Amino acid sequence: MSKINVEGSEISIIAIDNRDYISLTDMVRNIENGSALIEKWLRNKNTIEFLGIWEEMYNTNFNSPEFEGIKNEAGFNRFILSVKQWVEKTNSIGIVARAGRYGGTYAHKDIAFEFASWVSPYFKLYLIKEFERLKEEEQKKLGWDIKRNLAKINYRIHTDAIKNKLVPDKLSKEKINFIYASEADILNVSLFGITAKEWRDENPDLKGNIRDYADISQLVCLSNLENLNAVFINEGMSQSERLEKLNSIAIEQMKILSESESIKKLK
């Protein structure tokens, strides 16, 4: 569940079958008799027609004959329709009623925006603005998660290559860790021009390590260098040869990445 704040109202958003559903209940929570507005909107003939068109576009199990009967009744003073009745009679998927802690009436974003427009065009515009902002943040987080997981995979490839090719048998744990650290520093020196210890000595007040303060371009390049170093290790290339080659590659890649429009957008 996600939440957005629209003009002082906290509005919940849930995912159903990978689709975003926005709480209509939250939209009218701060309006007097707000819950009655949802059913009033639902009884509107134009609303019924809109919902029917949406369902026929996206819902293969929509009960069209039942919908036609409801549409013919809409507009009469005697016409009454609740969300629960609408869902049960038509097999609707565009609007759902949820019970429990996060209960209420939720509608697919297309329908929720239509409801917001009926309540207040002003509110609708801000709702769309905040919803789009949320989606942008989710995309950024997704991109970061993908990059982080890719870095983990590349790190495993790199450390396995070290283990299989550079770590002799029956070494102490301390010496094995030294080999891993020295290999990590090959990448640090190739890209940043400095070892991890030198960076810590120069930045005693900063927490973490040099890679925690790298920018997007440097992290992408570092991920590439880990892969390449694993290949060079498996090929039997010496540490000095690898350092020189990786540094040359890092220089070329950083030139390209610094001019990349995609990287600029991530930044």
Side-chain angles (χ1 to χ4, degrees):
M1 172 180 288
S2 303
K3 289 182 179 291
I4 56 176
N5 191 292
V6 182
E7 295 295 285
S9 295
E10 191 174 68
I11 297 173
S12 303
I13 301 171
I14 60 175
I16 301 176
D17 295 330
N18 294 319
R19 292 175 173 176
D20 290 309
Y21 282 68
I22 303 174
S23 174
L24 304 189
T25 303
D26 287 346
M27 287 189 202
V28 297
R29 193 179 300 280
N30 294 332
I31 301 175
E32 187 176 356
N33 297 321
S35 58
L37 284 177
I38 298 175
E39 290 196 3
K40 185 177 180 181
W41 169 73
L42 191 57
R43 292 196 299 269
N44 185 284
K45 195 174 186 69
N46 290 334
T47 298
I48 296 296
E49 289 179 340
F50 174 83
L51 293 177
I53 293 170
W54 189 94
E55 295 288 346
E56 287 174 344
M57 288 178 65
Y58 299 107
N59 183 4
T60 56
N61 295 318
F62 184 57
N63 191 332
S64 295
E66 189 68 37
F67 159 68
E68 290 297 329
I70 293 173
K71 185 172 69 171
N72 291 334
E73 287 291 318
F76 289 113
N77 292 335
R78 64 178 181 272
F79 179 67
I80 297 175
L81 183 67
S82 67
V83 172
K84 184 178 179 181
Q85 289 171 328
W86 168 255
V87 173
E88 289 178 349
K89 289 181 178 181
T90 66
N91 295 323
S92 163
I93 62 171
I95 299 180
V96 297
R98 285 287 180 93
R101 182 180 177 186
Y102 300 109
T105 299
Y106 289 82
H108 183 276
K109 64 181 180 64
D110 298 344
I111 299 170
F113 293 152
E114 186 73 10
F115 174 70
S117 183
W118 184 80
V119 173
S120 165
Y122 175 87
F123 183 84
K124 175 189 177 180
L125 290 173
Y126 277 92
L127 174 66
I128 293 174
K129 179 181 178 182
E130 288 303 309
F131 180 81
E132 290 178 343
R133 182 190 60 76
L134 174 67
K135 293 293 107 179
E136 288 177 3
E137 288 181 356
E138 288 179 350
Q139 287 300 314
K140 288 179 182 178
K141 185 178 183 299
L142 176 63
W144 177 254
D145 287 342
I146 291 172
K147 180 173 65 63
R148 183 175 58 185
N149 289 329
L150 178 62
K152 288 181 180 178
I153 294 170
N154 286 341
Y155 177 77
R156 177 62 186 272
I157 293 172
H158 187 226
T159 55
D160 279 359
I162 296 170
K163 178 180 178 181
N164 294 334
K165 294 291 183 179
L166 299 182
V167 180
D169 293 333
K170 297 182 179 179
L171 273 182
S172 68
K173 185 176 180 180
E174 290 75 15
K175 289 185 177 180
I176 290 174
N177 288 338
F178 173 78
I179 292 174
Y180 282 125
S182 68
E183 283 302 318
D185 265 340
I186 282 187
L187 302 179
N188 290 334
V189 173
S190 298
L191 178 60
F192 305 110
I194 192 172
T195 67
K197 184 179 184 305
E198 288 171 338
W199 182 87
R200 286 194 300 272
D201 290 342
E202 290 181 7
N203 300 277
D205 297 327
L206 295 180
K207 295 181 179 179
N209 58 58
I210 187 172
R211 301 184 185 196
D212 293 328
Y213 297 88
D215 62 24
I216 295 294
S217 298
Q218 289 171 324
L219 288 173
V220 172
C221 184
L222 181 63
S223 178
N224 294 336
L225 294 181
E226 283 182 327
N227 271 334
L228 290 170
N229 195 36
V231 172
F232 297 156
I233 289 171
N234 287 322
E235 289 177 350
M237 195 178 293
S238 70
Q239 196 175 73
S240 60
E241 289 177 312
R242 285 186 283 114
L243 177 59
E244 184 176 0
K245 194 169 184 66
L246 289 169
N247 178 242
S248 177
I249 292 170
I251 292 170
E252 290 302 314
Q253 288 201 0
M254 287 303 297
K255 286 180 181 178
I256 296 169
L257 290 169
S258 65
E259 298 172 359
S260 168
E261 291 300 321
S262 298
I263 293 294
K264 288 177 181 178
K265 288 179 181 179
L266 284 174
K267 289 181 179 180

